[in-house]
């Protein structure tokens, strides 16, 4: 997504992909369709049905919508932080408590921005794994993460057992 689009890719009404509940296969914002064969190759836990192209497209669309929202949130937060950093007269004459409160607020905004960047990176990684055909494989044990878990939490990289083990540490 380098911002350049060819003549076929320009559609002014399609700024962001929209998640839908239709059964039809859809193209993502990048124009790639998910083939039924790709969807069926993805691992699932015992007792779960194979992924369908529509289910996988729904997950990818959801991730891409969240990525769009996160990018705008990050841009807004960064410009707000930059404004506060550049305003040297703000806080002139403040006492220590006021200066401390402003520092706390600035650091809080920076932490929220860092968190949004981390979520964006996780979403981008999940979309990449869908494209590579490795989506749904636990990065710790190599077993299937589970379709239901991924539909609830599409950024998951660990199965429930490995995630519980990680959280106990």
């Amino acid at each position: 997504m380098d911002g350049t689009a060819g003549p076929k890719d320009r559609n002014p009404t399609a700024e962001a992909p929209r998640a839908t509940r239709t059964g039809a296969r859809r193209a993502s914002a990048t124009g790639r369709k998910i083939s039924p064969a790709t969807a069926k190759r993805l691992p699932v836990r015992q007792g779960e049905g194979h992924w369908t192209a529509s289910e996988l497209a729904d997950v990818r669309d959801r991730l891409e919508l969240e990525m769009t929202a996160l990018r705008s949130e990050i841009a807004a937060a960064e410009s707000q932080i930059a404004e506060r950093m550049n305003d040297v007269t703000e806080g002139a004459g403040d006492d220590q408590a006021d200066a401390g409160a402003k520092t706390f607020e600035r650091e809080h905004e920076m932490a929220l921005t860092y968190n949004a960047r981390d979520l964006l990176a996780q979403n981008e990684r999940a979309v990449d794994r869908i494209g590579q055909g490795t989506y749904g494989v636990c990065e710790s044990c190599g077993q299937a993460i589970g379709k239901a878990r991924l539909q609830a939490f599409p950024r998951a990289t660990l199965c429930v057992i490995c995630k519980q083990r990680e959280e106990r540490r």
Side-chain angles (χ1 to χ4, degrees):
M1 290 191 204
D2 60 358
T4 60
K8 291 189 284 183
D9 298 328
R10 290 190 183 122
N11 183 350
T13 61
E15 284 109 5
R18 298 186 195 273
T20 61
R21 292 286 172 200
T22 64
R25 290 187 302 172
R26 291 175 301 287
S28 73
T30 58
R32 294 183 327 243
K33 290 183 180 180
I34 297 173
S35 72
T38 300
K40 284 191 178 202
R41 279 196 314 260
L42 296 179
V44 292
R45 295 179 66 92
Q46 187 173 1
E48 292 180 332
H50 287 286
W51 284 96
T52 65
S54 176
E55 289 170 332
L56 203 52
D58 285 342
V59 170
R60 185 176 61 198
D61 289 348
R62 185 172 147 201
L63 287 164
E64 289 175 345
L65 281 171
E66 191 172 329
M67 287 171 19
T68 301
L70 286 167
R71 284 185 185 108
S72 64
E73 181 182 323
I74 290 167
E78 285 176 344
S79 71
Q80 190 174 24
I81 290 169
E83 280 178 23
R84 287 189 178 170
M85 297 294 264
N86 291 335
D87 190 4
V88 294
T89 60
E90 182 183 328
D94 285 349
D95 63 9
Q96 287 180 337
D98 289 337
K102 288 178 182 175
T103 299
F104 173 78
E105 288 176 15
R106 184 173 51 245
E107 288 177 359
H108 180 70
E109 286 178 19
M110 291 171 73
L112 291 175
T113 304
Y114 177 78
N115 185 48
R117 283 185 188 143
D118 187 46
L119 289 174
L120 178 61
Q122 289 176 25
N123 283 2
E124 289 172 341
R125 191 162 173 232
V127 170
D128 288 344
R129 288 191 340 257
I130 289 172
Q132 295 169 0
T134 59
Y135 187 68
V137 178
C138 177
E139 291 182 346
S140 181
C141 68
Q143 299 297 314
I145 291 175
K147 186 173 158 182
R149 175 167 165 74
L150 290 168
Q151 287 173 325
F153 186 68
R155 292 182 298 269
T157 58
L158 300 174
C159 66
V160 173
I161 294 169
C162 292
K163 185 63 176 174
Q164 289 172 339
R165 188 177 307 130
E166 177 187 87
E167 289 175 353
R168 276 187 243 138
R169 292 181 197 161

